[in-house]
Structures are given as C-alpha cells and as structure tokens.
Amino acid sequence: APVVADAEDAAADDAEIAPLAAPIDGEFPETGARVLVIDDEENIREILQDILEGDGHEVVAVDDGPSGLGKLGQQPFDVVLTDLSLPGMSGWDICARVKKGFPRVTVGLITGWGATLDADEAKASGVDHVLSKPFRFDEILRVVEEALDRRAG
C-alpha cells in the first residue's frame, strides 16, 4: 500500500498548471462566471453544478486535483471551488497551486471542518472563502458574484 500512496503523491506533485495567455474578449462567458468544481463526491459535484448552472454560470466539474489543475491549464476560470479532503492531493495544495498560477481566480475551499480551520493557513494557501458543509446555496452564489465583480472591476 505505501508504494501506491507514494505513486499518488508523486503524480500529485507532478501536476502542473500550464500557463495561459492573458484573458481576451470571448474567453469568458458573456454572462455569468466559469466555475471549476473539484470534489470526489459525485452528489456534491452535481448539487454545485445544478446551483451554478441554474444561476446562469458555466461549470466544469472533476473528481480530483490533478484533473482540476489540468482544466485550469486549458481554459480560464473565474472561480475554483475545491473540497479539502481529496484522494491524492489535498484541497490546500490545489488552492496554493491555483493562486500561484492564477492569482486573480477566486478560490473557495469546501469543508466539513470549517469552524476548526486555521485562518492563517487558509490565507497562506490562497483560500479566499471557506465554505462549510452543509453549505447554503446563497453562500455559493455570493462567492461567484464577488468573482464576477472582481473580473468586471
């Protein structure tokens, strides 16, 4: 079993974010935001996708960190919402890599441990918002609206 864990860790360490050119007109949706959802629980991905698409946003949903980082290298996103506990790569690592490669992207960390997270660690990892499970729909939409305001401003 340790060999598999080491291989997963090595794969996670090798996940790179391909650099993107500066966003140009037409890369983002004309209305709404483009949101990347990273969560290993299918029902959470589906709920977030339904909430966001129902509010007019474009959603790409994946089940692990390396896949999410790969999507970031293919197209621009306004928001990344990632679970804290993921196989192979933690939400902390994803947040830090997103902010390193794309500092203007709003990053939300979804966790069942919201009240016990260290605020300094969250800030150091590039987390803009901590969303505690069970999250409220209006919280998710507020994070996305703030990202759209940042993009417009």
Side-chain angles (χ1 to χ4, degrees), residues 89-109:
M89 175 181 262
S90 78
W92 293 120
D93 291 337
I94 294 166
C95 293
R97 290 177 190 224
V98 169
K99 279 300 184 178
K100 181 179 178 185
F102 304 94
R104 292 182 49 94
V105 172
T106 297
V107 177
L109 184 66

Side-chain angles (χ1 to χ4, degrees), residues 66-124:
S67 296
L69 295 177
K71 294 292 183 188
L72 270 167
Q74 296 171 4
Q75 59 185 317
F77 287 91
D78 296 293
V79 179
V80 173
L81 299 174
T82 183
D83 191 21
L84 173 61
S85 300
L86 292 166
M89 175 181 262
S90 78
W92 293 120
D93 291 337
I94 294 166
C95 293
R97 290 177 190 224
V98 169
K99 279 300 184 178
K100 181 179 178 185
F102 304 94
R104 292 182 49 94
V105 172
T106 297
V107 177
L109 184 66
I110 301 170
T111 177
W113 309 339
T116 61
L117 290 182
D118 182 292
D120 292 332
E121 183 177 7
K123 189 168 188 74

Side-chain angles (χ1 to χ4, degrees), residues 1 10 16 33 51 61-62 69 83 86 99 119 129 137 140-141 153:
E16 291 294 330
I51 294 167
V62 298
L69 295 177
D83 191 21
L86 292 166
K99 279 300 184 178
H129 300 277
F137 293 0
I140 300 296
L141 296 175

Side-chain angles (χ1 to χ4, degrees), residues 5 12-13 16 21 23 29-30 42 45 52 54 59 62 69 83 90 111 126 132 134 145-146 149:
D13 289 343
E16 291 294 330
E30 287 192 27
E42 184 176 4
R45 289 193 311 272
L52 294 165
V59 179
V62 298
L69 295 177
D83 191 21
S90 78
T111 177
S132 297
E145 289 304 317
E146 285 179 16
D149 290 346

